[in-house]
């Protein structure tokens, strides 16, 4: 019989119960026991949802109080020295200290680093490895959760992050190859497997997501060694799970490992099915990921069933499991509670709970008991989505189809444009500016909430925003910022704000997805062709410009970032959707120019995170991503100056593409890693202007004038003074005015002092 399986369920809870409990615990408002109770209730609820949906292979240990990689770090006792661990069982307080740092009394220990999980917007805690790192079984979470489910009468398949991926995802010191630690690590995994077996487990899911990445010979060897050992360590049947891409050149390796089963992602990489079926040894089960764990669209049941049938034909039904493409961690929990979405749109969607039902329907059909009515209804939903006039707008499609290379080019090269811009703007060298937002203080958030609830009228809310914007403009004049911004007080979120003004977007009430720790995001849904019914930002930018003689910088979110931070429609290539957005932003740029806003920033902080997992796929992505930005920023006069901004981005390896954006000015996060950024510019002469952030806005610290001068001096070692802008490294919306005011005053003073020094040197 074909089995219905799941790989992981969202852990935070439909109403973000876990988030609320965690944050209350951190604030000292609830006890550890309360927090643990909430977690226990959520686990029970989620196991029961899966059981009730008819899922036969239900995961455990997919829950986490923060992150599954940190769970693994603590399971194997890889605690960095700075936490002063006593070597005993690791408790939640130590666990949280590693995630969030610890600051009390005389202790001040920084948190472990965090980074993106493959190409998702989920962030994991990065393991830290040194040559002398030792491992020791130190947290019995996996066993406890297995037993907890068992006590509820639910037999589960525990999930572990695999040892090789665990090592590969870490960071190392002193040129260590993390895989050198494998021999020391494996005994702990063997012990865990034995403990799970002793507790009654029969199977285990071991996630080895790195099998879809480019692997060197060492890594391939490590996989063989690891699974030779682990398969012999216990009687547990091991399924190795891969996701987010195709196995490609690692297929033979993955299929050949001495384990009981392999999971493959047939949503991201449907084309790999034939190869997988051909290479899978005769004793092995295949788990086919045919329901998208990363997106919110209904599964095409007929299509999914055809994939499953192919597997059944080749392997026989006892060797096939139906599963989501990856853990459902990346999906919102339950569509049923979305009472604000209209029925037509809702009928095209499936969240985690609905995806489980789909898995069951597909498995049943493969077993000869097809629910004809459900399949009919599913087909009807797909037909309506295929033809709905809400989705398909021929004017938009024609406009994208008609794009030419010229649409993605400014009229003249940078050296011509910059002359016109200098003449129009008349700025000093080392001009000062900020990244866009000013502190979103309590009163602003309250006013927005009241406006949303209808307690504040449109007029009242606008008057409030006008007052705030006016204040910001006056203050920037006073402290002498050369290119002021309006402050973005009217915006909640840099993607949501635009999504709400564009056609083709929808918003959920409760569609939360964990981003990191207790933080969740609620991505907009891009369901249809994107167009811009009317200007989106001209009003506040113009209002700001009326308050000052200085050139105000208009602020837009770029097409790649809007795409990247949304749930994107799956019925056309991402490139096409991105180009549609880029045309909407282009129209906005043109309207701003018409309204005499002559400096316009198009933020693209998410450009780098869209990079494909395999290097050989990068060029194709970068081509359309860069083109999309350029479509947004072209067709305007030479004298109109385009800025862009990027943050959280190690951009050394894509610096050619960043230059290819051909923005007149780029501002970039560098203050925390000044040296690293500047390294890139030693070998690569950045052609346009650039503002290497001179202070870290992620910290409440107020940097001194002197500190910023030092950073600027460093920047001027590799960049020319005509080329450099002076700005913080990101928007200031998460900061308070107490820090922001003095910090920006110091920043302007630093710019002025550096200008004077440069003049002096010139004169001498
Ligand atoms: N303009 C945005 C702001 O200042 C940029 C945010 C970002 O880079 N993430 O808030
Ligand atoms: Zn930023």
């Amino acid at each position: 019989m074909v089995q219905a399986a799941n790989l992981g369920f969202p852990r935070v809870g439909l109403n973000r119960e876990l988030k609320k409990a965690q944050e209350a615990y951190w604030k000292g408002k609830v006890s550890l026991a309360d927090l643990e109770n909430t977690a226990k209730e959520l686990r029970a609820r989620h196991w029961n949802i899966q059981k009730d949906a008819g899922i036969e292979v239900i995961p455990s240990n997919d829950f986490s109080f923060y992150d599954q990689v940190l769970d693994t770090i603590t399971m194997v006792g890889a605690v960095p020295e700075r936490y002063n661990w006593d070597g005993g069982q690791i408790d939640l307080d130590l666990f949280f200290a590693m995630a969030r740092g610890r600051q009390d009394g005389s202790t001040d220990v920084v948190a472990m680093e965090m980074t993106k999980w493959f190409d998702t917007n989920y962030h994991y805690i990065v393991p830290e490895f040194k040559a002398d790192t030792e491992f020791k079984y130190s947290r019995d979470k996996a066993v406890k959760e297995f037993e907890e489910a068992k006590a509820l009468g639910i037999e589960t398949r525990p999930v572990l992050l695999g040892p090789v991926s665990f090592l590969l995802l870490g960071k190392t010191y002193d040129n260590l190859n993390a895989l050198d630690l494998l021999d020391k690590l494996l005994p702990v995994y063997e012990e865990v497997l034995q403990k799970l077996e002793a507790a009654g487990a029969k199977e285990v899911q071991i996630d080895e997501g790195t099998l879809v990445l480019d692997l060197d010979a060492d890594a391939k060897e490590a996989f063989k060694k690891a699974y030779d050992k682990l398969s012999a360590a216990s009687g547990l049947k091991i399924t190795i799970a891969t996701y987010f891409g195709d196995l490609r050149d690692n297929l033979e390796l993955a299929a050949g490992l001495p384990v009981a089963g392999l999971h493959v992602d047939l949503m991201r990489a449907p084309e790999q099915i034939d190869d997988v079926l051909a290479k899978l040894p005769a004793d092995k089960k295949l788990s086919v990921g045919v329901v998208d764990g990363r997106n919110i669209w209904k599964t095409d049941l007929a299509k999914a069933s055809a994939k499953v049938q192919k597997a059944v034909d080749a392997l026989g039904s006892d060797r096939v499991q139906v599963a989501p493409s990856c853990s459902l961690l990346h999906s919102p929990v339950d569509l049923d509670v979305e009472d604000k979405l209209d029925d037509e749109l809702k009928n095209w969607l499936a969240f985690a709970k609905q995806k489980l039902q789909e898995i069951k329907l597909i498995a049943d059909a493969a077993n000869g008991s097809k629910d004809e009515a459900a399949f009919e209804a599913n087909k009807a939903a797909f037909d309506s989505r295929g033809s709905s006039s809400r989705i398909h707008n021929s004017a938009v499609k024609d406009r994208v189809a008609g794009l030419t290379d010229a649409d993605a080019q400014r009229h003249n090269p940078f050296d011509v444009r910059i002359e016109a811009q200098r003449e129009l703007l008349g700025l000093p060298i080392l001009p000062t500016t900020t990244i866009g937002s000013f502190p979103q203080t309590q009163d602003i958030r309250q006013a927005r909430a009241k406006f949303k609830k209808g307690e504040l009228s449109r007029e009242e809310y606008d008057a409030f925003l006008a007052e705030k914007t006016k204040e910001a403009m006056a203050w920037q004049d006073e402290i002498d910022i050369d290119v002021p911004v309006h402050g973005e007080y009217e915006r909640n979120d840099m993607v949501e704000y635009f999504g709400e003004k564009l056609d083709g977007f929808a918003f959920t009430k409760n569609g939360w997805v964990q981003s990191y720790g207790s933080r969740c995001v609620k991505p907009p849904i891009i369901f249809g062709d994107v167009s811009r019914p009317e200007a989106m930002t001209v009003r506040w930018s113009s209002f700001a410009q009326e308050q000052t003689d200085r050139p105000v910088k208009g602020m837009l979110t770029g097409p790649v970032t809007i795409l990247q931070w949304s749930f994107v429609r799956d019925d056309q290539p991402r490139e096409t959707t991105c180009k549609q957005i880029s045309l909407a932003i282009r129209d906005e740029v043109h309207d701003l120019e018409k309204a005499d806003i002559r400096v316009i920033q198009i933020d693209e902080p998410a450009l780098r995170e869209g990079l494909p997992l395999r290097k050989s796929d990068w060029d194709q992505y970068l081509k359309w991503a860069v083109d999309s930005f350029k479509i947004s920023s072209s067709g305007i006069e030479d004298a109109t100056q385009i800025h862009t901004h990027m943050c959280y981005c190690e951009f050394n390896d894509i610096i050619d593409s960043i230059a290819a954006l051909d923005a007149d000015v780029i501002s970039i996060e560098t203050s925390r890693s000044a040296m690293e950024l500047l390294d890139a510019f030693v070998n690569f002469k950045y052609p346009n202007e650039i503002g290497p952030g001179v202070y870290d806005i992620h910290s409440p610290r107020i940097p001194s004038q002197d500190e910023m001068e030092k950073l600027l001096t460093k920047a001027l070692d590799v960049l020319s003074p005509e080329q450099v802008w002076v700005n913080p490294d990101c928007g200031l919306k998460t900061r308070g005015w107490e820090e922001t005011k003095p910090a920006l005053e110091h920043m302007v003073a630093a710019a002025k002092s550096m200008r004077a020094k440069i003049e002096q040197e010139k004169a001498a």
Side-chain angles (χ1 to χ4, degrees), residues 435 645-647 729-731:
I435 307 305
H645 165 69
M646 273 171 214
C647 45
D729 70 354
C730 196

Side-chain angles (χ1 to χ4, degrees), residues 40 192 204 240 254 418 437 453 543 644:
K40 201 170 169 191
V192 175
V204 61
I240 291 182
I418 194 67
S437 57
K453 277 193 225 142
F543 178 79
T644 189

Side-chain angles (χ1 to χ4, degrees), residues 81-100:
E81 269 162 46
R82 62 182 180 279
Y83 299 102
N84 276 327
W85 174 43
D86 63 8
Q89 276 280 310
I90 292 173
D91 62 18
L92 264 190
D93 286 331
L94 174 57
F95 176 87
F96 285 141
M98 293 163 75
R100 314 176 61 235

Side-chain angles (χ1 to χ4, degrees), residues 279-298:
K279 298 262 162 65
L280 199 77
D283 55 347
K284 213 171 263 191
K285 277 196 183 182
L286 186 67
S287 164
V288 287
V290 293
V291 168
D292 197 344
R294 293 269 304 262
N295 215 331
I296 41 64
W297 304 103
K298 222 170 224 183

Side-chain angles (χ1 to χ4, degrees), residues 453-465:
K453 277 193 225 142
E455 291 167 21
L456 216 59
S457 71
R458 173 95 250 173
E459 291 69 38
E460 287 166 325
Y461 181 55
D462 282 350
F464 171 82
L465 292 174

Side-chain angles (χ1 to χ4, degrees), residues 109-120:
V109 196
V110 295
M112 297 180 76
E113 253 177 56
M114 199 163 65
T115 198
K116 281 186 190 266
W117 177 246
F118 298 87
D119 59 357
T120 71

